[in-house]
């Protein structure tokens, strides 16, 4: 079974600064996707960024980028130029060959200080 | 384009009762999956339906069941409710038809409180 671990329960960042969230996973599959989802308080979860395991190039979406280390099974998220609207729970998730069955990490709460 | 709609948003039940939650996916999405979110266990996969067939199932007791209709709308049912079933139940839809996971679009969830 796959596992996803987020070791940082909470991270605090100053507005306009950069924060990096850690995620490690364990799998024996060779073909999979990794995701970062954002869940703002009392709002629905939305996809931040997605990485295909077969792609060596790290995914980037505007101020969000990942550092995907396949051999180390590490998938960190960097939020650059942090904004107040980035404050939320961030979940790392693994999706394997079994369709849309995602395994989520425990989440990291990001606090943004003005 | 309308997003994923879940009803009801909030509900309170007592132990032993049963509950049915509904999810309408984004138009054109045929995959619907359900997740349970609790402070203690985090986000856990319940099941996924595709074209009215259960394609994946998580590690939950048989009290948790679901179904999908021909219009892709899905319902999940929990029978003989226990206090530990109190949670936010999230529905997600996807346009993925087969293969490795695609992007999931989540609803706002149904918050169930069991007293």
């Amino acid at each position: 079974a796959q596992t996803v671990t987020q070791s940082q329960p909470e991270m605090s960042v100053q507005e306009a600064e950069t924060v990096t969230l850690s995620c490690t996973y364990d799998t024996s599959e060779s073909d999979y996707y990794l995701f970062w989802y954002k869940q703002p308080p009392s709002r629905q979860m939305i996809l931040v960024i997605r990485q295909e395991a077969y792609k060596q190039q790290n995914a980037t979406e505007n101020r969000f980028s990942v550092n995907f280390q396949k051999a180390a099974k590490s998938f960190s998220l960097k939020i650059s130029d942090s904004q107040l609207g980035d404050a939320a729970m961030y979940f790392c998730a693994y999706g394997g060959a079994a369709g849309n069955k995602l395994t989520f990490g425990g989440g990291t709460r990001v606090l943004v200080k003005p | 384009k309308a997003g994923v709609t879940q009803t009801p948003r909030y509900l309170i039940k007592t132990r032993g009762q049963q509950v049915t939650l509904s999810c309408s996916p984004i138009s054109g999405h045929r995959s619907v999956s359900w997740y349970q979110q609790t402070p203690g266990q985090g986000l856990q996969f319940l099941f996924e339906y595709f074209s009215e067939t259960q394609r994946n199932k998580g590690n939950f007791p048989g009290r948790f069941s679901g179904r999908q209709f021909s219009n892709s709308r899905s319902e999940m049912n929990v029978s003989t409710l226990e206090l530990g079933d109190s949670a936010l139940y999230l529905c997600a839809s996807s346009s993925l038809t087969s293969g490795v996971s695609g992007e999931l679009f989540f609803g706002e969830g149904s918050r169930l409180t069991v007293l």
Side-chain angles (χ1 to χ4, degrees):
Chain A
Q2 292 78 27
T3 59
V4 178
T5 303
Q6 294 179 248
S7 59
Q8 307 150 315
E10 187 174 284
M11 295 286 284
S12 183
V13 61
Q14 205 71 34
E15 197 175 4
E17 297 295 310
T18 296
V19 64
T20 299
L21 310 184
S22 301
C23 173
T24 58
Y25 61 95
D26 189 27
T27 184
S28 57
E29 296 180 318
S30 58
D31 191 15
Y32 54 88
Y33 281 70
L34 295 165
F35 307 84
W36 280 99
Y37 278 89
K38 170 185 177 182
Q39 187 177 39
S42 301
R43 294 182 62 185
Q44 65 200 110
M45 196 173 313
I46 58 172
L47 178 68
V48 174
I49 200 165
R50 179 177 69 175
Q51 174 80 43
E52 295 92 334
Y54 64 86
K55 289 188 177 179
Q56 292 186 331
Q57 185 173 6
N58 290 323
T60 299
E61 287 288 341
N62 301 314
R63 298 181 294 105
F64 298 87
S65 61
V66 298
N67 183 2
F68 175 46
Q69 301 291 325
K70 190 172 184 179
K73 296 180 180 175
S74 170
F75 183 61
S76 62
L77 174 70
K78 184 170 77 173
I79 307 174
S80 304
D81 185 26
S82 296
Q83 300 175 0
L84 296 178
D86 295 333
M89 282 291 289
Y90 286 80
F91 293 95
C92 178
Y94 171 99
N100 288 316
K101 177 182 178 180
L102 295 190
T103 300
F104 285 87
T108 297
R109 183 177 304 280
V110 172
L111 306 173
V112 182
K113 297 179 180 179
Chain B
K1 202 173 190 180
V4 177
T5 304
Q6 291 188 244
T7 56
R9 292 289 315 282
Y10 302 90
L11 65 167
I12 300 173
K13 294 285 186 178
T14 57
R15 280 180 296 174
Q17 288 187 311
Q18 74 165 13
V19 65
T20 299
L21 308 178
S22 179
C23 172
S24 294
I26 290 173
S27 178
H29 286 191
R30 294 162 60 190
S31 167
V32 174
S33 49
W34 289 88
Y35 291 82
Q36 181 196 64
Q37 185 175 22
T38 61
Q41 298 299 315
L43 278 154
Q44 293 186 287
F45 172 80
L46 279 157
F47 27 65
E48 181 204 6
Y49 286 87
F50 179 79
S51 293
E52 303 179 65
T53 301
Q54 188 179 85
R55 186 159 66 174
N56 286 297
K57 189 177 189 305
N59 296 322
F60 279 82
R63 300 185 297 107
F64 292 81
S65 63
R67 60 178 176 169
Q68 186 180 34
F69 302 95
S70 58
N71 62 357
S72 293
R73 189 177 71 86
S74 177
E75 289 181 347
M76 68 162 283
N77 184 77
V78 187
S79 62
T80 318
L81 284 166
E82 301 177 359
L83 295 178
D85 296 333
S86 295
L88 180 66
Y89 290 88
L90 295 171
C91 170
S93 74
S94 169
S95 60
L96 180 75
T97 55
S98 64
V100 184
S101 303
E103 177 179 359
L104 296 185
F105 294 84
F106 285 85
E108 292 183 293
S110 292
R111 185 166 295 282
L112 169 65
T113 301
V114 182
L115 302 177

